[in-house]
Amino acid sequence: MSIRATVKSILGEENVRVLRRLKRRLSGKWTKSAKPSGLEAISNDLNKLALHFKTDKWGTHRYTQHYQRHLQHLKNEKFNLLEIGIGGYNRPGQGGASLRMWKQFFPKAQIFGMDIQDKSFVDEDRITTFIGDQSDPSSLNAVADKIGELDVIIDDGSHRSPHVLTTFATLFPRLKDGGIYAVEDTQSSYWPEWMGSEDRDAPNTSMAMLKRLADGLNYEEFVDENYQPSYTDLNVVAVHFYHNLVIIEKGRNAEGTNKRKALKQRYAKS
């Protein structure tokens, strides 16, 4: 009988396996990794992170499931994320929950927040806050100048339509191609008390502006020969509407059209 067989018969199969595992550990070949715990264990799940940090992006709302879908490709990338509105209003020491959530989900990203109140107590490694007024283009541009390249912009500010429109008009042109722009809490668009309108066709609400973006995706199909495409017509490639949340993808929108072939009679006249 070989030495190996003799040892196995004396110690038994289970004890031999234990000795083998011990030998691998001592030799540095042990590969079994400990299961992650704490924040690390939920760092890939935005819903769970939202609950942990107590942001209303999950629970009160159902936003993080959509953010996970649209931002997952940036999970381990270096990029800049700006969120308008830090939370807590003017209550001392309140706010910053979603900024902390973003920091945990994106381990290589720089997270920026802007609020009309001083939220500098939130600042830490990879989180920087600014005081700014989203109803003032010069204030928005000053913050954007300090950040530099903008890859993701989230408007979770006042939710007042005039402010949402001003912020979008100012910052969307500064968003990087391939970037994501999100507008939260669009329900306020329908509330006169929040500078919205009961009239769903009112032209100056945040939802009216966002719905126009959907038309603009198809500007090449318009038959008005005098129509001049807007900046957003040319630079929005997708608009995703969810309950109280709209996510916009930026890129070059110029796929072409077959309208002259499909509408031969109309264009034969020209």
Side-chain angles (χ1 to χ4, degrees):
M1 182 182 291
S2 68
I3 294 175
R4 181 178 294 182
T6 301
V7 170
K8 187 174 180 181
S9 66
I10 295 172
L11 297 179
E13 183 69 33
E14 180 59 32
N15 287 330
V16 169
R17 282 198 292 268
V18 170
L19 285 173
R20 285 174 181 165
R21 287 198 293 270
L22 179 60
K23 181 180 178 181
R24 285 199 297 272
R25 284 187 183 183
L26 294 174
S27 66
K29 295 180 180 179
W30 181 254
T31 57
K32 185 177 180 180
S33 57
K35 289 184 178 180
S37 59
L39 272 177
E40 186 183 354
I42 61 171
S43 62
N44 292 318
D45 190 323
L46 261 181
N47 293 347
K48 291 180 180 178
L49 286 173
L51 291 173
H52 174 85
F53 287 106
K54 296 180 172 60
T55 167
D56 67 0
K57 288 182 180 2
W58 183 253
T60 303
H61 302 292
R62 294 290 187 270
Y63 299 159
T64 44
Q65 61 181 332
H66 305 306
Y67 280 129
Q68 179 119 22
R69 182 183 306 116
H70 291 285
L71 299 178
Q72 184 68 41
H73 66 289
L74 296 171
K75 183 74 174 78
N76 294 302
E77 299 295 321
K78 292 182 178 180
F79 71 97
N80 293 334
L81 181 152
L82 169 63
E83 182 159 12
I84 309 295
I86 298 175
Y89 302 97
N90 60 356
R91 297 191 294 268
Q94 297 293 308
S98 61
L99 299 185
R100 298 183 188 106
M101 177 192 72
W102 295 127
K103 175 185 173 179
Q104 186 65 35
F105 187 70
F106 298 115
K108 297 180 182 178
Q110 293 297 320
I111 310 301
F112 300 93
M114 188 191 96
D115 200 281
I116 201 166
Q117 304 288 338
D118 181 2
K119 300 291 180 178
S120 56
F121 69 89
V122 177
D123 291 7
E124 58 183 61
D125 178 45
R126 296 199 296 112
I127 295 180
T128 305
T129 63
F130 302 101
I131 299 174
D133 181 354
Q134 75 169 134
S135 69
D136 179 4
S138 63
S139 182
L140 290 163
N141 278 317
V143 168
D145 287 343
K146 291 173 184 174
I147 296 172
E149 191 169 75
L150 293 168
D151 302 90
V152 177
I153 299 171
I154 298 167
D155 184 351
D156 187 18
S158 75
H159 311 308
R160 270 65 175 176
S161 284
H163 303 168
V164 173
L165 269 61
T166 296
T167 303
F168 184 78
T170 305
L171 293 185
F172 185 76
R174 303 193 62 152
L175 182 67
K176 178 183 175 181
D177 269 2
I180 299 291
Y181 193 108
V183 181
E184 294 188 5
D185 294 348
T186 52
Q187 68 272 26
S188 60
S189 177
Y190 307 108
W191 300 343
E193 294 87 345
W194 284 56
M195 303 175 76
S197 176
E198 293 181 46
D199 179 3
R200 293 189 296 277
D201 296 319
N204 295 318
T205 66
S206 53
M207 276 303 297
M209 179 271 289
L210 293 164
K211 287 186 281 189
R212 285 195 293 271
L213 297 182
D215 278 330
L217 287 170
N218 300 308
Y219 76 91
E220 291 176 299
E221 313 304 339
F222 298 170
V223 294
D224 177 2
E225 293 299 303
N226 295 316
Y227 182 79
Q228 294 297 314
S230 67
Y231 179 83
T232 52
D233 291 343
L234 296 168
N235 291 282
V236 172
V237 293
V239 187
H240 306 270
F241 289 87
Y242 302 102
H243 183 69
N244 296 337
L245 172 70
V246 178
I247 293 177
I248 303 148
E249 298 180 37
K250 186 172 184 181
R252 182 63 178 165
N253 181 28
E255 295 184 7
T257 175
N258 69 341
K259 67 183 178 185
R260 291 185 176 273
K261 182 179 179 181
L263 304 174
K264 290 179 181 178
Q265 260 191 314
R266 171 185 288 274
Y267 288 103
K269 301 172 185 177
S270 59

